[in-house]
């Protein structure tokens, strides 16, 4: 027999979770659903978490975007898709994605492409670039920024000879 969890216990457990790391409203809702809490209880607990600033989707989105770009080496599109899956408001998504520093973004992509270039087998430069573009697109980077990074890499490849 599973023990029923009270509204106060749910709040305290979720508040403790949020004190350790950033979480979004959707994650809190999913957890409460697994605990089989009533919808009205879920709404009350969630609004209290938001009111007491344990949960803040904008703050969460900022941390999420920074981590995914810096550590997971994701591009804007992949990050945006992940935020959408976590049901982060579109306005917050746009605002946070617009704050990404273009130079930092390039500093993530260039080494990624340089590393990948070493392991890719290709018969021609054209084929190599196609494979690198596909790789970067799969990581969620936009074609224009990939093109920009590949042009820089091509120039540096010739100047090192």
């Amino acid at each position: 027999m599973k023990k029923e969890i009270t509204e106060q216990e749910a709040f305290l457990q979720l508040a403790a979770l949020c004190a350790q790391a950033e979480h979004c409203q959707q994650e809190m809702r999913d957890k409460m659903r697994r605990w089989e809490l009533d919808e009205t209880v879920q709404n009350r607990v969630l609004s209290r978490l938001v009111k007491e600033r344990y949960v803040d989707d904008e703050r969460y989105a900022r941390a999420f975007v920074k981590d995914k770009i810096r550590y997971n080496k994701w591009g804007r599109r992949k990050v945006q898709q992940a935020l959408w899956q976590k049901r982060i408001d579109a306005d917050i998504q746009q605002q946070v994605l617009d704050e990404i520093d273009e130079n930092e973004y390039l500093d993530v992509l260039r080494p990624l492409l340089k590393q990948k270039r070493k392991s890719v087998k290709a018969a021609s430069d054209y084929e190599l670039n196609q494979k690198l573009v596909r790789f970067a697109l799969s990581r969620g980077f936009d074609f224009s920024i990939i093109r920009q990074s590949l042009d820089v890499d091509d120039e540096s490849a010739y100047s090192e000879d």
Side-chain angles (χ1 to χ4, degrees):
M1 179 81 188
K2 202 168 83 170
K3 180 183 168 280
E4 280 284 310
I5 186 168
T6 66
E7 185 174 337
Q8 182 62 14
E9 287 171 336
F11 173 77
L12 292 173
Q13 284 187 22
L14 295 175
L17 198 64
C18 292
Q20 294 168 352
E22 287 293 342
H23 291 282
C24 64
Q25 291 184 32
Q26 188 58 40
E27 291 171 341
M28 298 294 100
R29 218 174 261 294
D30 291 344
K31 204 165 240 342
M32 288 189 282
R33 218 172 272 127
R34 282 195 298 276
W35 292 341
E36 298 171 4
L37 284 178
D38 185 59
E39 188 90 22
T40 55
V41 173
Q42 288 181 30
N43 292 335
R44 282 197 305 264
V45 169
L46 193 59
S47 63
R48 188 171 164 201
L49 287 167
V50 170
K51 196 177 106 210
E52 297 184 22
R53 305 220 3 104
Y54 283 105
V55 174
D56 180 340
D57 279 355
E58 189 175 329
R59 191 177 63 211
Y60 170 81
R62 271 204 182 81
F64 184 84
V65 167
K66 195 165 58 176
D67 285 356
K68 292 301 175 194
I69 290 175
R70 276 197 189 134
Y71 304 114
N72 296 46
K73 314 262 186 262
W74 284 9
R76 262 194 189 91
R77 286 201 175 137
K78 192 168 181 175
V79 170
Q80 188 171 17
Q81 194 174 25
L83 288 173
W84 176 81
Q85 285 178 322
K86 292 191 177 285
R87 296 195 173 95
I88 301 296
D89 189 77
D91 295 339
I92 294 174
Q93 284 183 35
Q94 201 51 57
Q95 181 185 339
V96 171
L97 289 168
D98 288 344
E99 291 171 5
I100 298 171
D101 179 49
E102 206 61 39
N103 291 327
E104 184 182 344
Y105 197 56
L106 281 166
D107 290 344
V108 166
L109 180 58
R110 285 192 181 121
L112 201 61
L113 288 173
K114 195 173 184 174
Q115 191 63 41
K116 185 69 176 172
R117 188 182 289 260
K118 293 174 187 170
S119 65
V120 171
K121 307 271 184 284
S124 65
D125 283 346
Y126 177 77
E127 188 184 340
L128 174 69
N129 279 342
Q130 292 301 308
K131 288 182 177 185
L132 290 173
V133 165
R134 271 198 305 273
F135 166 72
L137 284 171
S138 76
R139 292 306 277 271
F141 289 93
D142 292 328
F143 186 75
S144 59
I145 201 160
I146 297 169
R147 190 73 247 155
Q148 196 179 331
S149 294
L150 284 174
D151 290 344
V152 168
D153 280 358
D154 289 344
E155 289 166 16
S156 64
Y158 296 124
S159 64
E160 289 171 6
D161 292 338

